[in-house]
Amino acid sequence: MHRLRTLRGKLYSIIFCSFIARLIGFFLLPNTPSFLGPDEGTYGAVGDWTEQGLPAKDFPLYGEGLYLSGRALFWPAAFFNQLGVTPLNSVRLTAAIYGLLTLVLIIYIFLKTVDKHSGVADFVAKNTNVIISFFVLFAFLPSHFVWSLLGLRESSVEFWTLSAFASFYWILHLKKKLSLAATLFLVAAIVFTFSSRPQVGWVLGISFLIFLLVNIREKTALFLIPAVLIAIVLGVTATTGTTGTTSTTGTIASTISKTFGPLKTAAEVTVYKQQVNQLAAASVIVTQICPREGIAVVNRPPTSFDTYFCIAWRAPYMATTFLFRPIIGLDTTSTSSLFAALENILWLGAFIFIIGMLIKKRRVAFFTPLAPSLIFLVLYCIGAGSYEGNMGTAFRHKSLILWVVLLLVASVIAARKAPNPGNESA
């Protein structure tokens, strides 16, 4: 018990240190958009534009789409803007607060888990220093920390994604029963994830649905499936509507068509976004040649089947590129890319450790609670791998899976070695 009390004190100290570091970092940042995140200037301008009451659809850069897909960042930023904070500092302040709240959230859920599950408490008591190091990494890993200081969408995406997972875990494993408050929070978190980055909202919603459908015999799953579907519908509607217009009542069929219609063109949009991300990039991710592309170019325009086939064909290469690069020498084109490649050594070390321990122990601990996050990890890596066009953007987006990687490292450490290969994962 003494070790656990000491652990609590250290975790609270990490939160305090993160607050101080963010406060100092906020005042040390330049008054112009950072070269590490030039988009923060555009995001600040969006918040300023909408705060003035101007229609988002008339925004000179990217129009209404950028506003709708980033309202989780722009709404709080507009509030700070009204208080007299500059547009750039408004989005930076919002991002910093999101980053701090994310740290508070995961520590709160972690401590609740330790109090609820004796097996977790025993593991934590025996590995206090390891657990502390995980939280220090999450709070202060250089790139992860910087992305949550700059006025970018990374911290809002991470906060709402983890909020959704926290409420999902709260319902299924901490309370083990449905509650109106937790279910509403789950729906809201999914909706706000869509309003932070729609692609992540889709991956999040589909991950939950896959897990719930696999466990459909459970009473809780039967009630959560409609809740997740409603959240997806609301999330898609929020990011595809027209600002300032009055909605009209439509049929259920039209609502479903509007919600899931984008999936029909998902492949074409993915290819287009990847090509856009490759433009003027110093570290372009070179895509593999696809057999169907050659056929389409010679004989006819590419069909939807060709596009989906090529995405699937490239998926293993693109997903591993997303996970394991940048690499020193191979992908270093600037000082910032060199720092990214150096930090990526830690990522590579974590992946090698996980793979090695899985080979050795042939199981992971706490598999059932981890399953939704593992599904998310797989889908996110496949999706991000097909979407990213340059190393810089890919490395920034990889920060969203840091929490899953740390959970995996902890689970393989906690796992007991299987007596034979036929045993199921613990």
Side-chain angles (χ1 to χ4, degrees), residues 219-278:
K219 180 181 178 181
T220 307
L222 286 173
F223 284 97
L224 283 180
I225 288 174
V228 173
L229 286 172
I230 290 171
I232 292 174
V233 171
L234 293 175
V236 173
T237 303
T239 54
T240 56
T242 301
T243 306
T245 60
T246 304
S247 61
T248 57
T249 303
T251 63
I252 295 176
S254 65
T255 302
I256 294 174
S257 177
K258 180 181 178 181
T259 302
F260 296 98
L263 291 179
K264 296 179 181 178
T265 58
E268 289 79 3
V269 172
T270 297
V271 172
Y272 170 74
K273 290 289 187 180
Q274 183 189 48
Q275 292 170 349
V276 169
N277 288 334
Q278 289 175 329

Side-chain angles (χ1 to χ4, degrees), residues 102-103 106 133-148 158 161-162 322-323 343 346-348 350-351 354 373 376-377 380-381 395-410:
T102 301
L103 182 61
I106 64 169
S133 68
F134 288 165
F135 281 101
V136 170
L137 274 174
F138 184 85
F140 299 110
L141 186 70
S143 67
H144 187 253
F145 180 73
V146 169
W147 302 140
S148 67
E158 183 175 60
T161 299
L162 278 167
F322 173 74
L323 278 175
E343 184 184 297
L346 291 175
W347 287 87
L348 289 173
F351 293 134
I354 291 169
S373 59
F376 176 82
L377 174 66
Y380 182 79
C381 289
F395 189 70
R396 190 171 82 231
H397 290 175
K398 188 162 69 174
S399 67
L400 182 58
I401 61 171
L402 175 62
W403 63 279
V404 189
V405 173
L406 292 176
L407 279 177
L408 263 177
V409 172

